[in-house]
Structure formats: C-alpha cells, structure tokens
Amino acid sequence: QSVLTQPPSASGTPGQRVSISCSGSSSNIGSNDVYWYQQLPGTAPKLLIYRNNQRPSGVPDRFSGSKSGTSASLAISGLRSEDEADYYCAGWDDSLSGYVFGTGTKVTVL
Amino acid sequence: QVQLVESGGGLVKPGGSLRLSCAVSGFSFSDYYMNWIRQAPGKGLEWVSYISSSGRTIYYAASVKGRFTISRDNAKNSLYLQMNTLRAEDTAVYYCASSYGDEIFASWGQGTLVTVSS
C-alpha cells in the first residue's frame, strides 16, 4: 500500500501545462527529497527529477519539480504526445526505513 | 553505456524459491548502491530492497523482510535477490536499479517476470 498519494489521472492538449501532485507526510516528503519517474508503456521507469527539482542530463526543461511541506508536484509544460505515460513520485521514509513510491498518475495527451 | 540486465525470473509454486540476478556493465558497480523494485501486473511500483555499495547496509520492505535476501558481488559486477517462501502476491516484474549520489534509481534494467502460481 503506497504512502504517497497521487491523482490517478491527468490530461491536457498538446502545448498545455499539466501538474501532478504527490502528497505524503512528515516522515517522507516532509523530511526527505522527492524523486519523479516516467514510465512509458511497456518500458522500465526513467528518472525525471531528483532532489525535488533537479533534472538529470538529457531530461528536457519542460519537466520541473517542486516541494513544499509534505507535498510535491511535477509540472509538464508544452505537453507533447510522447509525454503520455505513467508518472511516479518517490522518496525515503524515515519511519519505514525504506523507499516509498506514489500511487502513480497516468497522463493522457488529448 | 550503462546496462543492467536481470535474469532468473520464471514460474514457481507458492512456498517455492527463486534467485534473481542483475548483471551490470558500463559503470563502476562497486561505487553504486543498488535496489530491487517490483511492479505487479497492471499495478504501480513497489520498492523491495536496498544494498549499499560495500554491501554492509541493507534494507527491506516490510512485505518481503525475512523472506528475501539481497546481496552483491562487486568482483562480478552483479546484484542478487534470493526469494524464499514465495506467495502469489510476489508475482511481479522485478527491476534492478542503480543509485549514485543524489540520483536515486537513476538507471534501470528491463525487468524479469516472476510468477507465483500453483
């Protein structure tokens, strides 16, 4: 059972901005960094954002992350058809002494 | 380039055992800490286990603690997951993922499917 809560779905038309929330608690997001992953259909996940708002090399600046208190969010600007995927937040949980993933959000490009 | 290749998945009966392997190339394996992450069919991601670069620090998810054992052989650039007392709910694609510094789960393998069924 995931301890990080995300909306099950989000959608937008090409060019629009889409935002995905990730809600946690003081033992995870509230005290540790947040990471975001993109999983295209039938493939392994890919790291999109690390340390709340940092992009690995090769990730377009259309993807941005932020964190405030016990919540975090991922924004995709200039939405493209290739952004259609599942997105997961993740982070370390001090109470569980382990990593936790969000419930996942399916982004659809209309 | 960075490559992680899992193997060892398959069909096993409830209560049975399986050993997964993850062969790594393209980076200095002994400098990276490693994880196993799984994904049940049609479901989300679940972290399973972590092992530090030296192998001295290990963590497990509550759902597998006492049944699964993570290990690594830095000389062979390989990561392992020994899975015992398997249950139907362990059915999933198992991914190995590497972490370095602040980049957690930066690289992933293609996954290996474990099916627990009678």
Side-chain angles (χ1 to χ4, degrees):
Chain A
Q1 190 162 344
S2 300
V3 300
L4 302 182
T5 303
Q6 300 177 232
S9 63
S11 63
T13 56
Q16 276 191 329
R17 184 178 186 273
V18 168
S19 185
I20 301 167
S21 61
C22 174
S23 178
S25 68
S26 57
S27 64
N28 41 65
I29 295 178
S31 51
N32 295 292
D33 292 326
V34 178
Y35 302 80
W36 289 91
Y37 302 85
Q38 176 193 60
Q39 186 174 32
L40 297 170
T43 71
K46 169 190 169 184
L47 177 64
L48 268 188
I49 297 288
Y50 67 97
R51 282 197 68 192
N52 309 313
N53 54 20
Q54 302 298 302
R55 282 184 308 276
S57 61
V59 173
D61 59 7
R62 301 186 297 104
F63 295 92
S64 62
S66 64
K67 184 183 107 166
S68 178
T70 59
S71 293
S73 64
L74 173 73
I76 310 172
S77 58
L79 196 64
R80 296 184 174 186
S81 58
E82 58 260 38
D83 298 332
E84 198 159 274
D86 293 323
Y87 292 82
Y88 296 89
C89 59
W92 181 262
D93 190 293
D94 293 331
S95 296
L96 299 174
S97 292
Y99 289 103
V100 289
F101 279 96
T103 47
T105 299
K106 183 175 183 60
V107 169
T108 302
V109 182
L110 301 170
Chain B
Q1 72 273 24
V2 172
Q3 196 168 14
L4 295 84
V5 180
E6 300 94 339
S7 60
L11 175 63
V12 61
K13 288 181 168 53
S17 298
L18 215 51
R19 189 194 196 208
L20 304 183
S21 299
C22 173
V24 167
S25 60
F27 63 91
S28 181
F29 180 68
S30 60
D31 290 337
Y32 285 65
Y33 42 109
M34 300 294 295
N35 294 266
W36 287 99
I37 294 158
R38 67 185 181 183
Q39 186 169 35
K43 302 297 184 183
L45 300 171
E46 180 188 14
W47 170 79
V48 172
S49 185
Y50 158 101
I51 186 168
S52 63
S53 55
S54 66
R56 284 195 283 265
T57 301
I58 287 173
Y59 298 105
Y60 296 100
S63 58
V64 306
K65 198 168 187 177
R67 300 187 300 122
F68 290 12
T69 301
I70 191 172
S71 62
R72 65 189 295 162
D73 186 334
N74 287 344
K76 293 184 178 179
N77 288 349
S78 293
L79 174 73
Y80 307 100
L81 186 68
Q82 177 66 42
M83 303 186 298
N84 298 331
T85 320
L86 282 161
R87 305 166 180 165
E89 53 266 35
D90 296 319
T91 294
V93 172
Y94 284 73
Y95 296 100
C96 61
S98 65
S99 299
Y100 185 81
D102 295 327
E103 297 196 14
I104 307 302
F105 313 147
S107 296
W108 298 63
Q110 84 290 348
T112 187
L113 177 63
V114 172
T115 303
V116 184
S117 175
S118 54

